[in-house]
Amino acid sequence: MIGVSAPVRVRDLLRRAADGPVRVVHRGPDAVYLAVHDDDGREACVGVLGADAVAVPCGLRSRLPVLAVGTAAVRGGVLHLDAEPVAVRRLVDTRVPARSPLPRTGLRPAPGLPAAVTPAAVAGLVGRGEGLTPLGDDVLSGWLALHRAAGAPTPGVDAAVRAHLHRTTLLSAELLRCALRGEVVPQFAALVTALGTPAEPAALAALTAVGHTSGAAMVHGAALALSALHTEGVAA
């Protein structure tokens, strides 16, 4: 049996999933990503994460040093990897902390990356870049999540993101849906908590170090959002 920690939403998704084989989207030594059908029949991406993997908000977190998975299936609401059941032993909270109003900080957008996030700009961002989570998607995730932290609705951008999810990878589309719900990686949550405090530089460095470009792109998106929120008078 493989013991894991899980977000409530991911646990419940597996409990409701139909019995049968599950498609493996990506295999790696640190993480395996699976396509599980949700209540609407849409493929939702669920990760099984090793000890060194980024704790994505759609993931089941294990302490395994290496993941070597051949097949996956759901039986009776329980995920099985190569016939080994995956047991949810603890629940984790992936919600971005509420910070309203947001303080003024030293967080600044990076040069050479998208200069703004608007409904019209979304089509040029979704799926832009290489890898399982393209850079443009990570920028959007950071922008969306910081607005959720501030409690600031973004209906135009939200609708545009949902309309273009088919243009990116299954994992990245899932992470964008997570951002729309205000679900984030722990490093992003820590940065939001640290904004405007002496802990901000260390939290910023920790998020920037996530992935090859993912963390830095999320920081950029958060900085764009913070700038927009200050301009709109939503932040302090």
Side-chain angles (χ1 to χ4, degrees), residues 8 10 64 69 71 74 91 128 131 141 155 166-167 195-196 199 209:
V8 172
V10 178
L64 296 174
V69 177
T71 61
V74 173
L91 297 175
R128 173 186 170 184
S141 290
H166 64 280
R167 301 177 58 176
L195 287 174

Side-chain angles (χ1 to χ4, degrees), residues 102 143 146-147 150 152 222 224-236:
L102 285 164
W143 189 92
L146 199 76
H147 277 82
L224 290 177
L226 192 59
S227 176
L229 288 166
H230 279 130
T231 300
E232 295 160 7
V234 175

Side-chain angles (χ1 to χ4, degrees), residues 73-123:
V74 173
R75 302 189 191 108
V78 177
L79 177 66
H80 289 69
L81 301 179
D82 294 327
E84 190 80 10
V86 178
V88 176
R89 293 177 174 165
R90 188 169 67 90
L91 297 175
V92 293
D93 188 357
T94 61
R95 293 172 297 178
V96 66
R99 288 293 306 270
S100 182
L102 285 164
R104 292 190 179 275
T105 76
L107 203 63
R108 296 290 182 269
L113 293 181
V117 173
T118 64
V122 167

Side-chain angles (χ1 to χ4, degrees), residues 139-158:
V139 170
L140 283 168
S141 290
W143 189 92
L144 289 165
L146 199 76
H147 277 82
R148 299 307 185 263
T154 56
V157 170
D158 295 0

Side-chain angles (χ1 to χ4, degrees), residues 145-236:
L146 199 76
H147 277 82
R148 299 307 185 263
T154 56
V157 170
D158 295 0
V161 168
R162 292 189 178 100
H164 290 91
L165 289 176
H166 64 280
R167 301 177 58 176
T168 192
T169 67
L170 184 65
L171 172 59
S172 201
E174 190 66 36
L175 293 177
L176 282 168
R177 291 188 186 96
C178 288
L180 286 164
R181 289 187 289 260
E183 300 167 1
V184 296
V185 296
Q187 294 89 340
F188 194 97
L191 176 61
V192 171
T193 298
L195 287 174
T197 77
E200 182 179 324
L204 177 59
L207 178 55
T208 301
V210 169
H212 295 294
T213 61
S214 291
M218 283 188 279
V219 168
H220 179 73
L224 290 177
L226 192 59
S227 176
L229 288 166
H230 279 130
T231 300
E232 295 160 7
V234 175

